[in-house]
Amino acid sequence: MNLRAPAVSLTAAAMLSLLACTASYDERMKFLDDMSAKGITYRQQLQNQGTDPSEDACGKGWVLLKASIPSDDSGYVSDEWRAQAEEAYVKSCLTGSARPKPDPSGVEAVTPVPFGSEKPAPSTSR
């Protein structure tokens, strides 16, 4: 009796199910939109209770959210993808607006100025 064939077919089935769970680029961008919206909602909740949205407060909100992050192209949730999801939530919480998404290569994430930050004074030196 050959026991190798069932083991190989189980491994192949597991790999196929893993690939089926991988979120497409569009699904991941929608997830970032959802995280931004949740970050903005959390900002409003903080303000309603008289708490200023700070990086610390928004970071705690991210931890409390316990987001179910979909898999990226690698078939699992990579550290880089997890960081992008957290960044979408926290920066939207800080600014009150949706965070622009990175380019398709995932390199050019935009960092908005936090809400309430003062604009730098014009330079008077010549």
Side-chain angles (χ1 to χ4, degrees):
M1 182 165 167
N2 185 358
L3 294 178
R4 259 192 167 159
V8 170
S9 63
L10 285 175
T11 303
M15 291 298 286
L16 286 174
S17 68
L18 180 67
L19 292 174
C21 295
T22 300
S24 70
Y25 178 80
D26 289 339
E27 291 168 330
R28 291 192 312 270
M29 292 303 101
K30 182 182 180 326
F31 181 76
L32 290 181
D33 288 341
D34 292 344
M35 291 301 98
S36 288
K38 288 180 182 193
I40 292 167
T41 299
Y42 190 69
R43 173 192 178 84
Q44 293 165 344
Q45 291 170 345
L46 288 172
Q47 290 174 326
N48 289 343
Q49 69 182 19
T51 302
D52 287 329
S54 65
E55 193 164 344
D56 185 50
C58 292
K60 287 178 182 174
W62 169 253
V63 172
L64 292 170
L65 181 63
K66 296 180 183 174
S68 179
I69 304 171
S71 298
D72 59 8
D73 289 335
S74 63
Y76 63 95
V77 180
S78 67
D79 291 340
E80 181 182 4
W81 170 230
R82 183 180 311 281
Q84 286 180 359
E86 181 177 359
E87 179 184 40
Y89 180 91
V90 171
K91 287 188 177 175
S92 293
C93 176
L94 286 171
T95 64
S97 61
R99 186 188 72 80
K101 289 176 264 331
D103 69 5
S105 70
V107 175
E108 298 294 325
V110 177
T111 305
V113 176
F115 179 82
S117 294
E118 301 213 16
K119 293 181 181 176
S123 176
T124 57
S125 63
R126 294 180 194 199

